[in-house]
Amino acid sequence: MIRVHHLNNSRSQRVLWLLEELGRPYEVVRYQRKANMLAPSELKRVHPLGKSPVIEDDGKKLAETGLIVEYLVARYGPDLAPARDSDLYWRYIYWLHYAEGSLMPPLLLKLVVNRLGLLGLPARRFVDAQLKLHLVFLEAELANAPWFLGDRFSAADIMLSFPLEVATQRGGLDQTRPRLMDFLARIHARPAYRRAIERGGAYLYGA
Amino acid sequence: MIRVHHLNNSRSQRVLWLLEELGRPYEVVRYQRKANMLAPSELKRVHPLGKSPVIEDDGKKLAETGLIVEYLVARYGPDLAPARDSDLYWRYIYWLHYAEGSLMPPLLLKLVVNRLGLLGLPARRFVDAQLKLHLVFLEAELANAPWFLGDRFSAADIMLSFPLEVATQRGGLDQTRPRLMDFLARIHARPAYRRAIERGGAYLYGA
């Protein structure tokens, strides 16, 4: 059975949700953030970087959310992605890379700049401008369809959920971007999403 | 012909190198960083986020380095990746996601913290510890083989080149990690790497 090493209030929540959408049985090993928000050191026994998510499947240990989503969908749920020989497939892979490679970094910067308080002020304008750029881009992407690949829900939507949820807390995402807010409302209403929250434990960023 | 929108001293240098390794003809459109190091606004006419690299191929516009590498290798150079039905394939995809999703964010943080000068000091210990974690991990990955997938050079090595090169400038990578430094020396000696530098223009992080 697939085992998911899951850190509370983290990017690994998406992996639980994906497995629920796939209808795959899985086991959750839970880890709790320390008071300083960092991952506990026990995660270093799972993977040298000590981050979450890590999954175990079929004798393999896999880290990095984008890879995990790409792997699980290819192996267990090709219906959650476009056909490999279509142009849309590359759009799907784009979103898997974009979510952590481009959208999360300014959200991480924002967290650090916020923690610096007044000391971080000189960097705030730059970080806020970057975040706005992404939100404008993403809002426009939903102009003609409810999901990031068009009319069909896909694993790209699951991948983008976490940074967008985090953006409502510290990235400036609010009702001035109604399509993104509707997107979040739609995913939060999915039964598989709700079941994943039950399996993962209290989730700061969910509905 | 493939067109690459290339920003000097940036992650897009890898795309030129990959195309040289593939032996594909390509056209380079060059952009120069502004005095504040940000990308010039002309890149916004290519892609709404205004970042580099973006490539154009066969009527498609593709952004995000990890996606571009995955796409170009799948389409034009499967020899630079393991076979799709092997476990090593997922290790390859892991590195594509890891380079930008996990290794670049602390390097970006370091840049911002450095620019804050004394104001950034409270964040420096956290950032330096994150960077060290990655360098220890990567040095260990090269303990038994010269390349990140083992005995055979692959596009994973190309993907990891940029963050490792940046790490020599601001991430604390030096001769105390001899395997990583040897890795950089080996890639910098490759004829395709040299040709890519000629096509891309002066490159701050190369040899």
Side-chain angles (χ1 to χ4, degrees), chain B residues 43-110:
Chain B
L43 267 169
K44 287 228 172 95
R45 289 202 288 271
V46 180
H47 186 280
L49 292 173
K51 312 277 186 191
S52 166
V54 172
I55 70 166
E56 296 179 66
D57 184 36
D58 202 14
K60 290 188 289 296
K61 232 177 229 187
L62 303 167
E64 204 72 32
T65 315
L67 170 280
I68 291 171
V69 171
E70 204 171 327
Y71 167 86
L72 288 174
V73 169
R75 180 150 194 185
Y76 300 115
D79 285 356
L80 283 179
R84 260 191 77 79
D85 56 1
S86 65
D87 280 353
L88 203 57
Y89 177 80
W90 295 111
R91 194 69 186 157
Y92 159 66
I93 300 290
Y94 169 74
W95 291 121
L96 298 194
H97 284 280
Y98 165 84
E100 291 288 334
S102 283
L103 184 53
M104 278 309 292
L107 288 164
L108 171 67
L109 270 180
K110 181 76 177 180

Side-chain angles (χ1 to χ4, degrees), chain A residues 51 64 70 84 97 130, chain B residues 51 70 84 97 102 130:
Chain A
K51 313 277 185 191
E64 204 70 33
E70 205 171 326
R84 260 191 76 79
H97 284 281
Q130 292 293 311
Chain B
K51 312 277 186 191
E70 204 171 327
R84 260 191 77 79
H97 284 280
S102 283
Q130 290 293 310

